[in-house]
């Protein structure tokens, strides 16, 4: 299994530019999550999807952030316009939930975003 | 507001000793509990999951859960330098009702 695949691994951009992060979940997983990790705030859930449908986006910090999942094998997280405080590592994770209990998340390698 | 609290450390343990990592959570209806290990610059990787009160052992790792006290712990026996990492506690409500809530992690250092 290839695992969760994220691209790019590193992104450096200037303030005001649009940034698009990409994720391919593990095949067969019906949940996809976007997390952001910083030293100050740790891992924060931004949004998650179930069967390609956004379920909870309450963690998205501002309207500048948007996420889509057009099909079961692809999701994007877009920041427009980007700001220096968006600098963080963004993780995509997926899981399969066969029953009433939460299943562990499988994380991608992350995208390290630096906004100057 | 769901919260997961961990001591940030660093926690320094001599090689071969037992490392004890602790976590408390605020949401009493939480049902699923996980420990992840994260090396610097890497993504979190699952070590243990636990769903019922008591102990669960897997090799050198033992997870302990006490729902009445809202407390989860991870014991690492015979600690090795390769265990040096940040350990994240994660809590879920169940059934994919929401994503997992993570603590900020405990930085563990195993001294050779």
């Amino acid at each position: 299994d290839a695992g969760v695949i994220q691209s790019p691994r590193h992104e450096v951009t200037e303030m005001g530019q649009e940034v698009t992060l990409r994720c391919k979940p593990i095949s067969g997983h019906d949940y996809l999550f976007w997390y952001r990790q910083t030293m100050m705030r740790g891992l924060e859930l931004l949004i998650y999807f179930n069967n390609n449908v956004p379920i909870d986006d309450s963690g998205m910090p501002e309207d500048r952030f948007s996420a889509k999942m057009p099909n079961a094998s692809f999701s994007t997280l877009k920041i427009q316009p980007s700001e220096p405080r968006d600098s963080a590592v963004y993780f995509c994770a997926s899981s399969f939930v066969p029953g009433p209990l939460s299943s562990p998340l499988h994380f991608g390698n992350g995208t390290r975003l630096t906004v100057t | 507001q769901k919260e997961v609290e961990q001591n940030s450390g660093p926690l320094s343990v001599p090689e071969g000793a037992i490392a004890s990592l602790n976590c408390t959570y605020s949401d009493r209806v939480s049902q699923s509990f996980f420990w992840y290990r994260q090396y610097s610059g890497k993504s979190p990787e699952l070590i243990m999951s636990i769903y019922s009160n008591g102990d669960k052992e897997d090799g050198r790792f033992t997870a302990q859960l006490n729902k009445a006290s809202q407390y989860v712990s991870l014991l690492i026996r015979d600690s090795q330098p390769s265990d040096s990492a940040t350990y994240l506690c994660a809590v879920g409500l169940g059934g994919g009702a929401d994503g997992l809530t993570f603590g900020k992690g405990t930085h563990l250092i195993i001294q050779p």
Side-chain angles (χ1 to χ4, degrees):
Chain A
D1 195 329
V4 177
I5 300 173
Q6 290 187 248
S7 64
R9 290 296 307 276
H10 303 275
E11 178 79 42
V12 180
T13 190
E14 292 183 348
M15 181 174 62
Q17 297 298 306
E18 178 179 295
V19 175
T20 300
L21 311 181
R22 298 172 176 79
C23 175
K24 175 180 169 59
I26 293 172
S27 177
H29 282 192
D30 53 356
Y31 281 83
L32 183 140
F33 304 83
W34 283 100
Y35 281 85
R36 176 172 69 177
Q37 187 175 39
T38 61
M39 289 292 292
M40 287 294 295
R41 301 174 69 90
L43 266 170
E44 302 175 280
L45 177 63
L46 300 178
I47 184 172
Y48 75 97
F49 296 81
N50 176 217
N51 291 323
N52 314 336
V53 176
I55 301 301
D56 185 354
D57 65 355
S58 60
M60 297 285 259
E62 300 172 34
D63 291 345
R64 298 185 295 107
F65 286 69
S66 62
K68 294 182 179 179
M69 192 166 186
N71 57 63
S73 59
F74 184 67
S75 177
T76 60
L77 178 67
K78 185 176 294 186
I79 308 172
Q80 166 64 20
S82 57
E83 296 183 3
R85 58 191 167 129
D86 301 331
S87 297
V89 180
Y90 290 80
F91 286 105
C92 175
S94 69
S95 72
F96 171 65
V97 184
L101 298 175
S102 297
S103 294
L105 305 183
H106 300 263
F107 284 85
N109 288 326
T111 295
R112 182 173 295 277
L113 173 64
T114 303
V115 183
T116 61
Chain B
Q1 178 79 13
K2 298 184 289 290
E3 293 184 352
V4 178
E5 300 289 340
Q6 295 181 256
N7 188 319
S8 62
L11 174 64
S12 186
V13 174
E15 183 177 357
I18 296 175
S20 178
L21 305 166
N22 305 314
C23 168
T24 59
Y25 59 95
S26 64
D27 198 326
R28 187 168 289 276
V29 300
S30 299
Q31 298 187 39
S32 306
F33 308 87
F34 307 90
W35 283 99
Y36 284 80
R37 178 176 62 199
Q38 186 174 26
Y39 293 113
S40 180
K42 302 296 186 183
S43 58
E45 56 178 330
L46 180 71
I47 298 176
M48 296 279 291
S49 59
I50 186 167
Y51 301 96
S52 303
N53 280 329
D55 295 0
K56 179 181 178 182
E57 186 174 319
D58 184 359
R60 296 187 297 112
F61 299 97
T62 298
Q64 300 174 317
L65 174 61
N66 183 327
K67 289 186 179 179
S69 300
Q70 296 177 236
Y71 178 88
V72 192
S73 65
L74 178 71
L75 301 177
I76 306 175
R77 290 180 299 281
D78 189 23
S79 297
Q80 303 296 311
S82 59
D83 295 326
S84 297
T86 296
Y87 288 80
L88 304 170
C89 175
V91 175
L93 292 181
D98 62 357
L100 301 184
T101 300
F102 284 80
K104 292 184 180 178
T106 298
H107 183 204
L108 175 66
I109 299 172
I110 305 300
Q111 296 179 322

